[in-house]
Amino acid sequence: MADSDNAASYGQNHHDSYRRRRIRYEEDDDLDDSNYSQARSKNRRRESPIDRISALPDCLLLHILSFLPIEDAIRTDVLSKRWQYVWTYLPSLLFCFDDSVNPCDRCVNGDFVEFVDKTLILCNGSTVKKIGVDFYYHDRFVSNVNVWTRFAARNDTEELRLKLPTYNEDWNELAAYVLPQHLYTNSSFRELSFSWCRVMPKAAVNWKSLNKLSIGFVKLSDDAIQKILVGSPVLEILELYHFCGVNRLHGINASVKKLILREVWNLDRGEACDFDRRNEDLMNLELEILMPNLQSLEILGGFELRYCRLVDATSLVEATLNFNLRRRESDKLDDYERHINTLRELLESLENVKNITLGTWAIQVLSIMEAKSLPSPLLKCERLMLDTGYSKLELPGIVNLLESSNSLETLVITMSSCNCQYFRDTLTKVWNLYKSLYGTSPKRTCKGLKMYLKKVEFSGLRQYQLDYIFPLAQSLLMIARVLQKMVITMRGEGSDIPKEVFQAAQKLLSFPRSSSDAIVMFYA
């Protein structure tokens, strides 16, 4: 019995001792794991972090640098040896002078020119697809700019942009940079943009790869334009803006598919174009467009002292006439005959164009035509967009136009930020006459639309304009038999929607509809 008790006691003591050792060993293991983790953490801190960006291939690094201004891209040179001179292989170099700096500061402007010089030297031999320079030009920099253009030509640059305004507020032709003749014979250019430069090719132009050309703030000539059109066999997009000196844009064999004309030079800026304002012959100059292959035409901004005529539009698919003929003193005396004739001739040439956009000036001229009982030329367009400030004074013009648009399927009226009244006194008389004849509701609106009009959209409305558009909207809902949708979108002017807008929406939804499928949507 004693032996058994001793054995039991020994067993219990042995078990307790084993448990204590096991617990101690487990505590030691935990301690070792903790020390090991701390050691690893210290080693990680000692090791330098992996630079995953620098490990990227050059093509990705260049893609990253392409999103930075050229000055910041160059600064990456100091990051590490891996980054040294990577930026010199950028395919695009765009240099832009800081507008916040006084351009008359010779030192600052000189520093900019020196920066461009040094950058191009370091990039010499690289393939640079795009070069752009924008700074205030002075004739003391002519040799520098010549070097830049030679760099572009020597490196087979595909896109070259030069924006070189002079120090003077008004453009001075004699102070402007003259494009060197070697540029006109470079066949690698695919896109060119020249602003505030003199474009005067002396011999034939050889831009056989050129696809897009933009020229602005310039005095041109018919001869220069003709040489460019002949020497650019694949040119598809031509843009001229703030220009003068061109009377004919004739490209019978030209491949131009899109033509953008924006702002014939404003003579109020000075005598930049050497026009004699007292010369009546110059005041009656015409801009004549003859491009049979043209598919898209945009005429925008102010046109100074001239008519504008489109001779051939057989291939035209879309046209935007959002310009205005600037008024002369004699316009009011001859009852705006010049404006009426210009618009009527342009609309006649657009008879078969499917997509037409008209601006405020055109709509107001149509209002004057309505007062004279002159109908708009018949149009076969399927989509008509009116970009207008929209006031009651323009309603007669819109009615006049819609009555002559018998194939119209989509009508979009956007409320332009420009609320110009080009003929205020005359339009007020027109509205009073129109209201006395038809009231405020356009009851004779576009009866020819009843079999084709499918969608109407009023976009960007302000609250005060609702009363102006509702008579037209109500009339269209009653006339259009196949109308599918009418959408009215208000201009967002705050988080709170006035109750008047809700009342207007309810009024709109209550209008009777000729089409049982018509859906009316109102977005406040």
Side-chain angles (χ1 to χ4, degrees):
M1 189 71 178
D3 291 339
S4 63
D5 291 339
N6 291 336
S9 175
Y10 172 79
Q12 181 65 38
N13 293 336
H14 180 76
H15 178 71
D16 293 339
S17 175
Y18 171 77
R19 286 189 61 194
R20 286 192 296 271
R21 287 197 302 269
R22 183 178 178 184
I23 292 173
R24 187 171 63 249
Y25 292 154
E26 289 177 350
E27 290 176 346
D28 291 341
D29 288 341
D30 292 340
L31 183 60
D32 290 343
D33 290 341
S34 176
N35 292 337
Y36 177 74
S37 299
Q38 292 177 4
R40 287 193 63 184
S41 299
K42 290 179 180 179
N43 289 334
R44 285 197 195 102
R45 286 195 293 268
R46 293 193 196 101
E47 294 175 0
S48 59
I50 298 175
D51 186 354
R52 298 185 184 277
I53 295 181
S54 296
L56 294 173
D58 285 355
C59 59
L60 291 181
L61 293 182
L62 290 171
H63 182 69
I64 293 172
L65 292 180
S66 67
F67 292 97
L68 300 177
I70 184 62
E71 297 86 353
D72 294 336
I74 293 175
R75 291 189 183 101
T76 62
D77 190 87
V78 302
L79 293 178
S80 67
K81 289 185 178 180
R82 173 72 178 89
W83 287 88
Q84 283 185 355
Y85 302 112
V86 172
W87 67 268
T88 62
Y89 294 95
L90 280 169
S92 177
L93 297 176
L94 302 178
F95 304 93
C96 186
F97 186 80
D98 187 356
D99 288 336
S100 64
V101 179
N102 183 4
C104 296
D105 190 328
R106 295 172 63 94
C107 294
V108 174
N109 223 9
D111 290 343
F112 175 84
V113 172
E114 184 180 3
F115 170 70
V116 178
D117 285 341
K118 291 181 177 180
T119 302
L120 294 183
I121 289 174
L122 291 173
C123 293
N124 194 26
S126 303
T127 301
V128 183
K129 297 295 184 182
K130 179 179 179 179
I131 296 177
V133 181
D134 176 0
F135 86 112
Y136 287 91
Y137 174 78
H138 191 277
D139 56 11
R140 71 176 183 275
F141 299 129
V142 61
S143 60
N144 303 87
V145 182
N146 285 340
V147 170
W148 305 344
T149 60
R150 289 197 175 277
F151 176 92
R154 186 173 61 250
N155 286 273
D156 294 329
T157 298
E158 296 180 359
E159 182 177 348
L160 176 63
R161 296 175 175 269
L162 296 178
K163 184 178 179 181
L164 310 176
T166 57
Y167 292 126
N168 299 325
E169 184 176 348
D170 294 327
W171 186 70
N172 183 351
E173 182 185 8
L174 298 179
Y177 176 70
V178 181
L179 295 180
Q181 296 301 310
H182 71 82
L183 282 183
Y184 299 108
T185 57
N186 190 292
S187 59
S188 66
F189 292 135
R190 296 182 181 274
E191 184 173 337
L192 290 173
S193 178
F194 303 125
S195 183
W196 307 89
C197 299
R198 298 174 68 183
V199 182
M200 300 183 300
K202 294 180 180 179
V205 174
N206 182 21
W207 286 337
K208 65 180 183 181
S209 301
L210 191 64
N211 180 262
K212 181 179 179 180
L213 175 62
S214 177
I215 307 176
F217 292 97
V218 62
K219 178 183 178 181
L220 292 166
S221 67
D222 292 335
D223 179 64
I225 287 293
Q226 190 62 27
K227 287 178 179 177
I228 289 173
L229 292 175
V230 171
S232 308
V234 297
L235 181 64
E236 293 190 356
I237 302 174
L238 175 61
E239 179 185 22
L240 303 178
Y241 59 96
H242 292 276
F243 68 101
C244 68
V246 179
N247 303 319
R248 296 187 307 277
L249 280 170
H250 287 187
I252 297 178
N253 298 319
S255 60
V256 177
K257 292 181 173 59
K258 183 172 184 178
L259 176 64
I260 304 170
L261 304 176
R262 179 161 45 91
E263 292 282 351
V264 170
W265 196 280
N266 185 350
L267 297 181
D268 291 338
R269 294 176 62 88
E271 301 298 326
C273 296
D274 302 323
F275 281 143
D276 183 357
R277 302 186 189 201
R278 295 168 296 179
N279 190 326
E280 191 65 26
D281 292 334
L282 289 175
M283 293 176 71
N284 289 322
L285 286 175
E286 296 181 1
L287 176 60
E288 187 175 86
I289 303 169
L290 174 58
M291 290 185 175
N293 297 319
L294 201 61
Q295 297 179 5
S296 175
L297 172 66
E298 295 182 17
I299 305 179
L300 313 170
F303 272 50
E304 192 83 50
L305 305 175
R306 64 179 65 213
Y307 291 95
C308 183
R309 177 175 294 132
L310 182 61
V311 177
D312 190 336
T314 52
S315 300
L316 207 58
V317 176
E318 58 181 17
T320 298
L321 305 181
N322 201 349
F323 73 101
N324 67 86
L325 287 182
R326 290 199 173 92
R327 292 176 56 182
R328 304 191 331 228
E329 289 298 325
S330 58
D331 285 337
K332 193 170 183 179
L333 298 176
D334 63 17
D335 215 8
Y336 302 106
E337 182 178 353
R338 180 173 68 101
H339 296 255
I340 293 172
N341 290 339
T342 297
L343 180 62
R344 184 164 53 188
E345 287 184 16
L346 283 171
L347 291 178
E348 286 174 352
S349 64
L350 302 180
E351 176 186 1
N352 297 310
V353 177
K354 299 300 182 183
N355 193 339
I356 297 178
T357 298
L358 298 182
T360 299
W361 172 84
I363 298 169
Q364 292 181 7
V365 173
L366 285 165
S367 289
I368 296 175
M369 292 173 61
E370 173 72 9
K372 293 174 173 288
S373 299
L374 298 174
S376 166
L378 290 176
L379 299 176
K380 297 178 182 178
C381 69
E382 297 175 356
R383 186 177 190 275
L384 177 64
M385 176 179 287
L386 305 179
D387 184 30
T388 172
Y390 201 90
S391 69
K392 62 183 181 181
L393 303 181
E394 293 163 19
L395 180 60
I398 294 176
V399 172
N400 188 304
L401 180 64
L402 294 181
E403 285 196 325
S404 300
S405 305
N406 293 330
S407 301
L408 191 62
E409 295 182 3
T410 302
L411 171 65
V412 180
I413 300 180
T414 61
M415 304 305 152
S416 170
S417 57
C418 174
N419 192 19
C420 300
Q421 297 294 338
Y422 297 104
F423 319 96
R424 179 178 293 276
D425 295 339
T426 301
L427 287 175
T428 301
K429 295 177 182 178
V430 168
W431 170 249
N432 292 334
L433 173 63
Y434 183 87
K435 186 170 62 173
S436 66
L437 293 174
Y438 306 109
T440 59
S441 179
K443 296 181 177 61
R444 43 183 279 274
T445 300
C446 39
K447 294 181 180 179
L449 299 181
K450 61 184 178 181
M451 299 307 298
Y452 295 98
L453 189 63
K454 297 178 181 179
K455 182 178 179 181
V456 178
E457 181 177 348
F458 298 90
S459 177
L461 279 172
R462 296 185 184 276
Q463 183 179 337
Y464 73 88
Q465 293 171 319
L466 289 172
D467 291 337
Y468 299 153
I469 66 101
F470 270 17
L472 178 60
Q474 183 177 14
S475 180
L476 292 174
L477 284 171
M478 294 177 63
I479 290 173
R481 295 181 180 178
V482 295
L483 186 68
Q484 297 174 358
K485 183 185 294 186
M486 176 177 286
V487 181
I488 296 182
T489 305
M490 301 294 295
R491 185 190 299 267
E493 296 179 335
S495 57
D496 296 330
I497 302 175
K499 66 176 182 179
E500 291 82 4
V501 174
F502 283 110
Q503 294 171 353
Q506 292 174 345
K507 180 180 178 181
L508 176 67
L509 295 173
S510 68
F511 288 156
R513 309 167 197 180
S514 177
S515 170
S516 58
D517 298 327
I519 298 174
V520 179
M521 307 174 73
F522 191 100
Y523 296 99

